Amino acid sequence: MSHMTNESEDGMLSKDDAGSQLNDDCDVGIILKKGPWTSAEDAILVEYVKKHGEGNWNAVQKHSGLYRCGKSCRLRWANHLRPNLKKGAFTADEEQLIAELHAKMGNKWARMAAHLPGRTDNEIKNYWNTRIKRRQRAGLPLYPPELCMEPLQENQEGHTDGINGGDKRHRGFLLKSRYEIPDVIFDRLKANQCLLPYVPEIPDISENSILLKGLGSSQYCNFMPSTLPSQKRLRESTVPCPGSNGFSAFDHFQDDVCDKVAQSFGFSSPLHPDPASENSLSFIHSLSDGNSSASKPTNVAVKLELPSFQYPETDLGSWGSSTPSHPLLESVDAFIQSPPPTGMQEEECSSPRNSGLLDALLHQAKTLSSTKNHSSDKSSKSATATPGEIANTSTLNMCGTEWEDYADPISPFGHSATSLFSELTPLSASASTMDVQPPCDIVKSEPCEQAWTLSVDNETTSLLSITRPDVCVAPIWLEQACRQI
DNA sequence: AAGGCCTACAACCGCCCTCTT
DNA sequence: AAAGAGGGCGGTTGTAGGCCT
């Protein structure tokens, strides 16, 4: 690094030496050094931490003479100087674990690092970013196939009997993650509850950023890197989904390669009618790692344009059109049109505490319907995607991204509904955190123009299922959950 | 040998949360 | 309750070094 030559031997800069390396982020009148650390600085920092312990990093500069801001000190300590740091390449086990953790957590590097003793979030992050690029280039799925298959199998087998066979460690890990619901889920649920039920929380432009960045690449059809920039913590909806991680509604079906990869994952494209497709669709989220912002209106997103390469050349119609014969669409139609199991509506759907799931779903349907109406129904009449249609579709997808906020943010595979129910079920019984009522003002603030009910029209329903393919499997989960209840 | 590309890594930046006052 | 400081976290950038052409 060239600017290392400017550093003084003792690792500290005089104020003159520091020159333009003023750290405008941390500095409070003192010129602080930036750039690589020297061994002398490291020694000073280590000595300081030995004496005073970690924390109060801003005091390091004051007491040790280091011309580094507290943040820089903390980072240096955490990433390089603290004891028990494991250096060197990640082992195969670690890589596997990282993949699992990422599938489960998304870009929560710090949390992932907690599962990898001796590894830092920065290391993991760098590793993952590199991995993404590498695997993109190689045309490989981001997540190991076995990682993708597990949730599918578990879905089919039920939620409690999945500990037979397979990698026990991994399965145990996944199961653990399923039943030990981290606090963050409740945090998010609480937070989301504030936005629910009628908050088509608008995925902001970053959603389009994802589109812009990812969907243009056929490689992304297989794995949407959830490392894609998200904007705000806690606003993001990082629900990476192996399989979904890439099976974007657009690309997945327009590319033979995608299809092959899909098959390699053990499921087939919806274009291939297959009984397994329904479950397969559990993998097919729209856009993972979408970010949502409650402050941005939908129509902002609607106006965003997509590059031409995002206009699918083929088969978008299978998503963009309401193909009644599509089993997946039928499943949703059947669910929404026909009453759920007895008591469901009153106890589960109408209850404020669960309004976030079905209500959100329905509200989205309404929103989508509304959006669709505004788009001069050209999309519904043409199997060929037009730019306008795509914009509309993208909007719908973005609307769908809200699902991620309603869903388990830590769900390994984007099992939004499943995870949600795994949380809601006990919560509903105990009437705990989900009792939080959405503030009325928030509800009122939403542009909810029409009263609407469960009887969503077919078109809307289809749109809904198109928008969020995972919605297609939600009815199944809903029914299962209701039976359990 | 030179240039370009890719990878790994370190560090910074900006936002947000939490705690303290 | 509000404001400010400290700290954490995720994203981004810049650089060195290796590899390839």
Side-chain angles (χ1 to χ4, degrees):
Chain A
M1 299 186 185
S2 59
H3 47 281
M4 286 189 71
T5 55
N6 292 334
E7 296 166 3
S8 58
E9 270 304 305
D10 62 0
M12 292 186 289
L13 284 170
S14 70
K15 292 184 181 182
D16 288 340
D17 290 336
S20 61
Q21 291 186 330
L22 170 69
N23 188 328
D24 49 7
D25 182 44
C26 319
D27 133 277
V28 243
I30 299 174
I31 295 176
L32 298 172
K33 185 189 167 198
K34 292 168 69 175
W37 282 65
T38 65
S39 55
E41 287 177 304
D42 286 346
I44 293 171
L45 181 58
V46 168
E47 191 63 26
Y48 178 87
V49 174
K50 277 181 185 174
K51 283 184 181 176
H52 302 92
E54 299 182 41
N56 200 13
W57 296 108
N58 282 339
V60 176
Q61 188 271 324
K62 296 171 187 169
H63 297 138
S64 69
L66 266 180
Y67 286 94
R68 295 279 185 173
C69 74
K71 273 187 174 183
S72 186
C73 293
R74 184 184 63 80
L75 213 58
R76 183 66 183 175
W77 173 259
N79 289 339
H80 301 283
L81 301 179
R82 74 179 155 92
N84 303 323
L85 273 182
K86 200 187 289 182
K87 292 292 183 182
F90 286 97
T91 66
D93 279 350
E94 285 176 321
E95 291 179 1
Q96 171 75 20
L97 185 55
I98 289 171
E100 293 173 359
L101 290 170
H102 192 271
K104 173 171 173 280
M105 300 175 176
N107 296 358
K108 302 298 178 185
W109 310 118
R111 261 192 270 158
M112 291 166 72
H115 291 77
L116 290 156
R119 299 296 188 179
T120 68
D121 53 354
N122 210 32
E123 263 184 305
I124 297 170
K125 180 171 56 181
N126 286 332
Y127 162 76
W128 190 258
N129 289 339
T130 303
R131 173 195 172 95
I132 285 174
K133 292 177 189 171
R134 196 167 52 227
R135 294 184 80 94
Q136 276 177 19
R137 240 187 301 274
L140 297 170
L142 190 52
Y143 296 92
E146 65 271 18
L147 200 56
C148 303
M149 290 306 299
E150 285 191 359
L152 176 60
Q153 293 165 353
E154 288 180 16
N155 262 353
Q156 293 169 336
E157 296 167 0
H159 294 287
T160 56
D161 57 350
I163 314 185
N164 43 1
D167 187 329
K168 289 180 181 177
R169 179 174 68 88
H170 298 153
R171 188 170 293 277
F173 172 83
L174 292 171
L175 289 172
K176 177 176 184 293
S177 68
R178 170 165 297 162
Y179 290 106
E180 292 182 14
I181 304 169
D183 291 344
V184 65
I185 294 176
F186 296 100
D187 292 344
R188 289 180 58 94
L189 284 173
K190 285 181 202 172
N192 291 334
Q193 199 69 12
C194 296
L195 301 174
L196 295 174
Y198 301 119
V199 184
E201 191 185 7
I202 307 312
D204 59 23
I205 191 167
S206 64
E207 188 75 23
N208 279 299
S209 302
I210 292 172
L211 286 170
L212 296 172
K213 280 191 167 186
L215 295 183
S217 163
S218 63
Q219 290 164 339
Y220 274 102
C221 76
N222 299 319
F223 29 79
M224 176 74 70
S226 53
T227 311
L228 287 171
S230 70
Q231 293 182 328
K232 312 287 185 207
R233 286 191 309 152
L234 300 183
R235 263 185 241 162
E236 71 186 351
S237 180
T238 307
V239 187
C241 176
S244 85
N245 243 351
F247 290 101
S248 77
F250 294 159
D251 287 4
H252 175 56
F253 305 110
Q254 69 177 350
D255 191 326
D256 287 340
V257 176
C258 302
D259 214 1
K260 288 173 184 171
V261 175
Q263 290 167 7
S264 76
F265 277 128
F267 52 84
S268 59
S269 156
L271 293 178
H272 308 251
D274 185 315
S277 296
E278 287 194 6
N279 283 328
S280 303
L281 259 286
S282 66
F283 290 97
I284 308 173
H285 283 254
S286 56
L287 298 169
S288 62
D289 199 22
N291 300 306
S292 300
S293 168
S295 61
K296 297 181 181 177
T298 310
N299 53 359
V300 170
V302 176
K303 293 174 183 174
L304 294 170
E305 294 180 1
L306 297 175
S308 57
F309 58 67
Q310 289 182 35
Y311 305 147
E313 295 164 3
T314 61
D315 285 337
L316 178 64
S318 62
W319 281 97
S321 65
S322 306
T323 307
S325 60
H326 199 294
L328 299 169
L329 306 187
E330 287 175 352
S331 68
V332 170
D333 288 347
F335 173 74
I336 295 186
Q337 289 178 350
S338 63
T342 309
M344 171 84 179
Q345 283 181 331
E346 289 87 355
E347 293 178 19
E348 289 300 320
C349 302
S350 301
S351 168
R353 81 180 54 136
N354 59 65
S355 58
L357 178 58
L358 189 56
D359 284 2
L361 192 158
L362 295 171
H363 180 65
Q364 276 195 33
K366 176 180 176 296
T367 305
L368 299 178
S369 175
S370 168
T371 305
K372 187 167 186 288
N373 291 336
H374 287 299
S375 64
S376 70
D377 61 90
K378 55 186 171 186
S379 61
S380 64
K381 296 180 179 176
S382 170
T384 305
T386 66
E389 179 180 350
I390 297 300
N392 188 33
T393 307
S394 69
T395 302
L396 299 181
N397 273 311
M398 287 184 281
C399 291
T401 312
E402 294 160 34
W403 262 93
E404 310 296 1
D405 267 344
Y406 304 141
D408 179 1
I410 315 183
S411 170
F413 309 100
H415 289 173
S416 304
T418 307
S419 303
L420 191 54
F421 266 102
S422 71
E423 297 155 17
L424 287 179
T425 301
L427 288 173
S428 298
S430 61
S432 56
T433 48
M434 294 303 286
D435 283 330
V436 178
Q437 293 273 1
C440 293
D441 54 342
I442 293 181
V443 174
K444 289 175 182 175
S445 68
E446 287 303 311
C448 205
E449 298 153 1
Q450 310 163 1
W452 65 299
T453 66
L454 273 172
S455 57
V456 184
D457 60 334
N458 287 345
E459 186 178 77
T460 301
T461 306
S462 298
L463 267 174
L464 178 61
S465 58
I466 293 164
T467 301
R468 286 299 305 254
D470 50 354
V471 166
C472 298
V473 292
I476 301 168
W477 296 330
L478 285 167
E479 289 178 314
Q480 289 175 349
C482 289
R483 286 196 201 100
Q484 290 173 6
I485 293 170

